[in-house]
Amino acid sequence: MPQRNLDGSPQILCADDRPGNVRRIRQLYGASVSIRVLPLQQLTQAINRAFGDRLTAIAVCDLARHKPEFSAGRAITQRQIICALIVMVLCVCVFIFAGGITHYVLSGVLAVCFAANAGLRALLTWKGAGEHSPMDEPVCATPFSGRELEWPIYTIIVPMYREANVMANLVHAILALDYPRNRLDVKLVLEADDAQTYAAAKEYARDPCFEIIRVPPSQPRTKPKAANYALQFARGAYIVIYDAEDRPEPDQLKKALAMFRQSPDNVACLQARLNFYNADENWLTRMFALDYALWFDFLLPGLDRLGIPMPLGGTSNHFRTQALRAIHGWDPYNVTEDADIGIRLSQMGFRVRTLDSTTYEEAVTQLGVWLGQRSRWMKGYIQTWLVHMRKPRALLHNAGAHGFAGFQLFVGGTPLAALLNPLLWLLFCVSLVIYGPAALTAGGGGVALCGLILGNALFTYLMMLGVLRRGWLSLAPFGLCAPLYWLLISVAAYRGVFELLYKPWHWQKTDHGLSRITPPNQIMQAGS
């Protein structure tokens, strides 16, 4: 960091005074420049004071400035509004001029869309359950020699807000990672006004590998904006993002590093599997665990094997730093920045793969908190679909026909299926009231019922199947509750649509540390 001495001569502040770094500084600023060494944390604070506004502008505006077509800063474009109005007018015309067959047509369209989403999930589950490729085999061998300095620096970004109560467990989980401590670059990313979490970080994160980064106040107040701010301080060749309550398996960084070393350079990101250490706490956590087991153990590996653009999970995304910066980081306006960045990587010529390692999280235990979190996810998936469908021909060219179709059914189909599920129930009930038992053959009730039976039965089967790979057989019977769980997801989806219209960038904070189950001190290696 350049500044000037009292006599006006240039002075460079740095935290690394090794000969090679000093030599580079003198090459850049002249042989006579004075160099002042500061502890890393003090240097970071000095940079924040001097350049906080500029760094904030980059964190917020970099993607929109360089790739505006991929920014969710504007949720819906004028062209998309016009298309939506045309569809609405056509639907009204059909209802007016062909009202007698409206129920049949509507029921048929809804049932086909619902069944298509369920069918894709069945295909992905089948592909994801297939034999592991060599890339998925556990990597135990060290890809480098035993000398610690030959291991690359690995940056860990942990955005946090009002999470002082989980700081001690987070620090323990980070220090339990099987990676040379002096090659870790851990960024605890805190909002500038979060005094309690800052105090907890100062108390517990005393190891030199930890660095506290305080994000100046600005809008939007989102996790991806905070991550973008921290990205500018990252020193590692590789980056992983964790949540405050995460408990990654100890060898996860080594596995990711070995897989990156074995992969082509266009493999820019690896998504580890996620599940919960409190899965058996109550009915909601059990259903959540079933949902995650299906999603991360089967559906995402299926997308990987079929080469379909993959929406990432919210944590345990491992990146090549160079690639992450090349795509201008996360979208600060997308409330599922993880889903968006996975698709954007694919659009810009990179590949995302799954990593055979699990990070354990705290499952939400309260229905109100769960609804808030799930509505944000649904809103973000709709945002992601709208953003990447601004130029459908470009998406088709970049992802290929199968990738384009998979994107429609998986990214667009996930909120669509949740929105359609109660509509099919409503259509069937209306037909039943109007036609009585004849509704099975009249008014579209039979079509709606077939879609409901097929879709919900398949979802139920897949939810029960999802936990088999982990051996959590005691949770499998709860898969029978999948229809009820999907109705709850539908409530969250409609809430997400409402929020998209009225507060598109509002970040529904999920509170952690509410579980009665204490995180384990050491995560056992999973058989997943």
Side-chain angles (χ1 to χ4, degrees), residues 117-130 271 273 290-311 354 381 406 409-411 414 458-459 462-463 465-466 469 486:
N117 178 263
L120 175 65
R121 288 172 177 252
L123 173 62
L124 294 177
T125 302
W126 174 56
K127 297 296 291 185
Q271 171 65 65
R273 295 170 178 172
L290 288 170
D291 193 1
Y292 259 39
L294 176 62
W295 190 271
F296 289 99
D297 293 355
F298 290 91
L299 299 184
L300 294 192
L303 291 174
D304 182 354
R305 290 187 173 89
L306 291 176
I308 294 174
M310 184 190 304
T354 53
Y381 264 64
L409 291 173
F410 198 75
V411 175
T414 294
L458 194 51
F459 283 139
L462 295 179
M463 289 277 277
L465 182 67
R469 175 168 282 174
W486 276 95

Side-chain angles (χ1 to χ4, degrees), residues 474-503:
S474 62
L475 296 184
F478 288 90
L480 296 173
C481 300
L484 174 59
Y485 185 70
W486 276 95
L487 284 175
L488 291 176
I489 292 177
S490 296
V491 173
Y494 278 96
R495 178 175 165 175
V497 170
F498 176 83
E499 288 190 358
L500 181 66
L501 297 175
Y502 292 98
K503 43 183 181 180

Side-chain angles (χ1 to χ4, degrees), residues 68-267:
E69 69 273 22
F70 291 132
S71 171
R74 184 176 181 182
I76 306 175
T77 64
Q78 185 176 11
R79 180 182 297 180
Q80 290 171 333
I81 293 174
I82 293 173
C83 290
L85 290 175
I86 291 174
V87 171
M88 291 174 63
V89 169
L90 290 175
C91 289
V92 171
C93 291
V94 170
F95 182 78
I96 293 174
F97 297 106
I101 64 170
T102 300
H103 279 179
Y104 289 104
V105 174
L106 184 58
S107 298
V109 171
L110 296 182
V112 168
C113 292
F114 191 65
N117 178 263
L120 175 65
R121 288 172 177 252
L123 173 62
L124 294 177
T125 302
W126 174 56
K127 297 296 291 185
E131 292 186 7
H132 289 192
S133 69
M135 285 293 188
D136 293 321
E137 293 300 320
V139 181
C140 299
T142 300
F144 305 97
S145 75
R147 290 180 291 178
E148 289 187 347
L149 289 180
E150 294 192 10
W151 288 81
I153 295 176
Y154 216 119
T155 295
I156 299 175
I157 295 178
V158 189
M160 306 178 73
Y161 183 56
R162 296 184 308 190
E163 293 178 303
N165 59 326
V166 299
M167 182 64 70
N169 288 329
L170 167 67
V171 170
H172 185 278
I174 297 290
L175 296 181
L177 290 170
D178 181 20
Y179 200 84
R181 186 79 57 84
N182 63 351
R183 308 306 286 169
L184 287 179
D185 171 38
V186 186
K187 311 295 188 187
L188 301 181
V189 191
L190 317 179
E191 296 293 332
D193 60 357
D194 189 0
Q196 287 187 331
T197 308
Y198 178 65
K202 288 179 64 179
E203 179 180 356
Y204 293 106
R206 296 178 178 176
D207 190 281
C209 70
F210 289 96
E211 180 183 359
I212 301 172
I213 295 178
R214 307 191 76 178
V215 182
S218 66
Q219 294 297 326
R221 200 179 178 98
T222 59
K223 172 184 171 182
K225 185 203 73 176
N228 280 342
Y229 193 86
L231 177 61
Q232 299 171 88
F233 293 86
R235 297 184 292 116
Y238 302 92
I239 289 175
V240 61
I241 187 163
Y242 287 131
D243 284 340
E245 80 280 13
D246 284 356
R247 303 294 175 268
E249 291 179 346
D251 64 349
Q252 187 172 114
L253 299 190
K254 285 186 174 180
K255 278 189 174 182
L257 193 55
M259 188 167 176
F260 274 129
R261 287 279 172 160
Q262 298 174 37
S263 302
D265 289 342
N266 72 329
V267 175

